[in-house]
mmCIF file of all heavy atoms in Angstrom:
data_model
loop_
_atom_site.group_PDB
_atom_site.id
_atom_site.type_symbol
_atom_site.label_atom_id
_atom_site.label_comp_id
_atom_site.label_asym_id
_atom_site.label_seq_id
_atom_site.Cartn_x
_atom_site.Cartn_y
_atom_site.Cartn_z
ATOM 1 N N GLY A 25 11.754 18.698 7.006
ATOM 2 C CA GLY A 25 11.771 18.201 8.380
ATOM 3 C C GLY A 25 12.140 16.798 8.482
ATOM 4 O O GLY A 25 12.107 16.156 9.400
ATOM 5 N N LEU A 53 7.240 45.242 7.086
ATOM 6 C CA LEU A 53 8.657 45.149 7.019
ATOM 7 C C LEU A 53 9.236 46.349 7.875
ATOM 8 O O LEU A 53 8.995 47.422 7.604
ATOM 9 C CB LEU A 53 9.254 45.150 5.619
ATOM 10 C CG LEU A 53 8.825 44.123 4.656
ATOM 11 C CD1 LEU A 53 9.586 44.273 3.406
ATOM 12 C CD2 LEU A 53 8.877 42.710 5.204
ATOM 13 N N THR A 129 -0.678 38.226 -8.375
ATOM 14 C CA THR A 129 0.249 37.912 -7.398
ATOM 15 C C THR A 129 0.091 36.405 -7.045
ATOM 16 O O THR A 129 1.174 35.650 -6.946
ATOM 17 C CB THR A 129 -0.154 38.725 -6.047
ATOM 18 O OG1 THR A 129 -0.168 40.096 -6.428
ATOM 19 C CG2 THR A 129 0.967 38.533 -5.066
ATOM 20 N N LEU A 192 -14.699 27.171 0.050
ATOM 21 C CA LEU A 192 -15.886 26.490 -0.282
ATOM 22 C C LEU A 192 -16.752 27.472 -1.196
ATOM 23 O O LEU A 192 -18.053 27.326 -1.247
ATOM 24 C CB LEU A 192 -16.704 26.140 0.873
ATOM 25 C CG LEU A 192 -16.910 27.095 2.062
ATOM 26 C CD1 LEU A 192 -17.743 28.255 1.691
ATOM 27 C CD2 LEU A 192 -17.447 26.420 3.231
ATOM 28 N N GLY A 217 -15.393 14.064 12.543
ATOM 29 C CA GLY A 217 -15.393 14.577 13.976
ATOM 30 C C GLY A 217 -14.675 15.897 14.226
ATOM 31 O O GLY A 217 -14.620 16.220 15.394
ATOM 32 N N MET A 221 -15.090 26.110 12.856
ATOM 33 C CA MET A 221 -15.431 27.321 13.744
ATOM 34 C C MET A 221 -15.617 28.524 12.812
ATOM 35 O O MET A 221 -15.074 28.592 11.741
ATOM 36 C CB MET A 221 -14.272 27.574 14.733
ATOM 37 C CG MET A 221 -14.462 28.565 15.697
ATOM 38 S SD MET A 221 -13.231 28.493 16.954
ATOM 39 C CE MET A 221 -12.132 29.743 16.262
ATOM 40 N N ASP A 222 -16.272 29.625 13.282
ATOM 41 C CA ASP A 222 -16.552 30.774 12.600
ATOM 42 C C ASP A 222 -17.236 30.672 11.174
ATOM 43 O O ASP A 222 -17.065 31.382 10.200
ATOM 44 C CB ASP A 222 -15.259 31.559 12.412
ATOM 45 C CG ASP A 222 -14.654 32.066 13.683
ATOM 46 O OD1 ASP A 222 -15.202 31.963 14.681
ATOM 47 O OD2 ASP A 222 -13.493 32.517 13.639
ATOM 48 N N GLU A 257 -21.860 60.103 -7.542
ATOM 49 C CA GLU A 257 -21.435 60.392 -6.243
ATOM 50 C C GLU A 257 -20.575 59.393 -5.515
ATOM 51 O O GLU A 257 -20.879 58.152 -5.679
ATOM 52 C CB GLU A 257 -22.658 60.573 -5.277
ATOM 53 C CG GLU A 257 -23.460 61.919 -5.441
ATOM 54 C CD GLU A 257 -22.729 63.062 -5.115
ATOM 55 O OE1 GLU A 257 -21.998 63.084 -4.033
ATOM 56 O OE2 GLU A 257 -22.621 64.062 -5.958
ATOM 57 N N MET A 268 -12.828 55.820 3.198
ATOM 58 C CA MET A 268 -13.558 55.795 2.084
ATOM 59 C C MET A 268 -13.608 54.414 1.349
ATOM 60 O O MET A 268 -14.009 53.534 2.044
ATOM 61 C CB MET A 268 -12.972 57.011 1.031
ATOM 62 C CG MET A 268 -13.120 58.398 1.571
ATOM 63 S SD MET A 268 -14.891 58.934 1.490
ATOM 64 C CE MET A 268 -15.102 59.246 -0.201
ATOM 65 N N GLY A 289 -28.358 52.529 -7.412
ATOM 66 C CA GLY A 289 -27.467 51.756 -8.267
ATOM 67 C C GLY A 289 -27.892 51.742 -9.708
ATOM 68 O O GLY A 289 -28.885 52.450 -10.001
ATOM 69 N N ILE A 332 -20.088 46.863 -10.846
ATOM 70 C CA ILE A 332 -19.730 45.879 -9.876
ATOM 71 C C ILE A 332 -20.742 45.873 -8.710
ATOM 72 O O ILE A 332 -21.472 46.687 -8.647
ATOM 73 C CB ILE A 332 -18.282 46.212 -9.317
ATOM 74 C CG1 ILE A 332 -18.145 47.633 -8.720
ATOM 75 C CG2 ILE A 332 -17.228 45.947 -10.456
ATOM 76 C CD1 ILE A 332 -18.584 47.718 -7.347
ATOM 77 N N LYS A 432 -28.318 20.972 -11.361
ATOM 78 C CA LYS A 432 -29.459 21.753 -10.985
ATOM 79 C C LYS A 432 -29.579 21.771 -9.400
ATOM 80 O O LYS A 432 -29.952 22.859 -8.954
ATOM 81 C CB LYS A 432 -30.722 20.941 -11.471
ATOM 82 C CG LYS A 432 -32.034 21.716 -11.520
ATOM 83 C CD LYS A 432 -33.145 20.952 -12.309
ATOM 84 C CE LYS A 432 -34.406 21.469 -12.095
ATOM 85 N NZ LYS A 432 -35.456 20.632 -12.619
ATOM 86 N N THR A 457 -33.363 28.832 4.072
ATOM 87 C CA THR A 457 -32.379 28.100 3.433
ATOM 88 C C THR A 457 -32.114 26.766 4.125
ATOM 89 O O THR A 457 -31.788 25.721 3.552
ATOM 90 C CB THR A 457 -31.053 28.921 3.335
ATOM 91 O OG1 THR A 457 -31.320 29.896 2.440
ATOM 92 C CG2 THR A 457 -29.877 28.173 3.040
ATOM 93 N N ALA A 469 -29.403 12.917 -3.032
ATOM 94 C CA ALA A 469 -29.236 11.355 -2.910
ATOM 95 C C ALA A 469 -29.915 10.558 -4.053
ATOM 96 O O ALA A 469 -29.554 9.385 -4.194
ATOM 97 C CB ALA A 469 -30.087 10.949 -1.606
ATOM 98 N N ASP A 475 -22.261 9.755 -16.835
ATOM 99 C CA ASP A 475 -21.044 9.128 -17.307
ATOM 100 C C ASP A 475 -20.877 7.970 -16.409
ATOM 101 O O ASP A 475 -20.628 7.986 -15.229
ATOM 102 C CB ASP A 475 -19.928 10.077 -17.231
ATOM 103 C CG ASP A 475 -18.659 9.454 -17.822
ATOM 104 O OD1 ASP A 475 -18.749 8.302 -18.145
ATOM 105 O OD2 ASP A 475 -17.683 10.236 -18.003
ATOM 106 N N PHE A 492 -20.135 17.092 -0.430
ATOM 107 C CA PHE A 492 -19.267 17.922 0.392
ATOM 108 C C PHE A 492 -19.894 19.367 0.659
ATOM 109 O O PHE A 492 -20.017 19.910 1.721
ATOM 110 C CB PHE A 492 -17.835 18.073 -0.022
ATOM 111 C CG PHE A 492 -17.061 16.711 -0.139
ATOM 112 C CD1 PHE A 492 -16.308 16.558 -1.251
ATOM 113 C CD2 PHE A 492 -17.288 15.786 0.755
ATOM 114 C CE1 PHE A 492 -15.666 15.294 -1.351
ATOM 115 C CE2 PHE A 492 -16.599 14.683 0.710
ATOM 116 C CZ PHE A 492 -15.739 14.377 -0.282
ATOM 117 N N GLY A 512 -18.564 41.900 11.915
ATOM 118 C CA GLY A 512 -17.839 41.508 10.768
ATOM 119 C C GLY A 512 -18.774 41.264 9.588
ATOM 120 O O GLY A 512 -19.689 42.045 9.353
ATOM 121 N N ILE A 531 -18.500 30.654 17.345
ATOM 122 C CA ILE A 531 -19.484 29.587 17.339
ATOM 123 C C ILE A 531 -18.707 28.464 16.538
ATOM 124 O O ILE A 531 -17.993 28.646 15.612
ATOM 125 C CB ILE A 531 -20.624 30.029 16.381
ATOM 126 C CG1 ILE A 531 -21.382 30.983 17.243
ATOM 127 C CG2 ILE A 531 -21.582 28.823 16.025
ATOM 128 C CD1 ILE A 531 -22.493 31.681 16.473
ATOM 129 N N LYS A 535 -20.292 17.471 14.030
ATOM 130 C CA LYS A 535 -21.405 16.780 13.458
ATOM 131 C C LYS A 535 -22.020 16.015 14.590
ATOM 132 O O LYS A 535 -21.459 15.336 15.350
ATOM 133 C CB LYS A 535 -20.784 15.721 12.401
ATOM 134 C CG LYS A 535 -21.856 15.029 11.635
ATOM 135 C CD LYS A 535 -21.191 13.979 10.660
ATOM 136 C CE LYS A 535 -22.240 13.055 10.247
ATOM 137 N NZ LYS A 535 -22.569 13.092 8.923
ATOM 138 N N GLU A 541 -23.947 20.282 15.558
ATOM 139 C CA GLU A 541 -24.193 20.630 16.921
ATOM 140 C C GLU A 541 -23.357 21.799 17.220
ATOM 141 O O GLU A 541 -22.151 21.806 17.132
ATOM 142 C CB GLU A 541 -23.814 19.403 17.777
ATOM 143 C CG GLU A 541 -24.903 18.506 18.159
ATOM 144 C CD GLU A 541 -24.459 17.255 18.972
ATOM 145 O OE1 GLU A 541 -23.338 17.380 19.599
ATOM 146 O OE2 GLU A 541 -25.253 16.228 18.824
ATOM 147 N N VAL A 542 -23.935 22.866 17.771
ATOM 148 C CA VAL A 542 -23.361 24.088 18.137
ATOM 149 C C VAL A 542 -22.813 24.158 19.490
ATOM 150 O O VAL A 542 -23.482 23.583 20.517
ATOM 151 C CB VAL A 542 -24.425 25.279 17.912
ATOM 152 C CG1 VAL A 542 -23.773 26.591 18.272
ATOM 153 C CG2 VAL A 542 -24.855 25.283 16.456
#
Side-chain angles (χ1 to χ4, degrees):
L53 298 188
T129 311
L192 50 63
M221 195 170 88
D222 296 346
E257 284 294 315
M268 294 291 285
I332 52 85
K432 196 170 168 189
T457 288
D475 184 353
F492 296 139
I531 292 174
K535 190 183 163 113
E541 265 174 24
V542 174

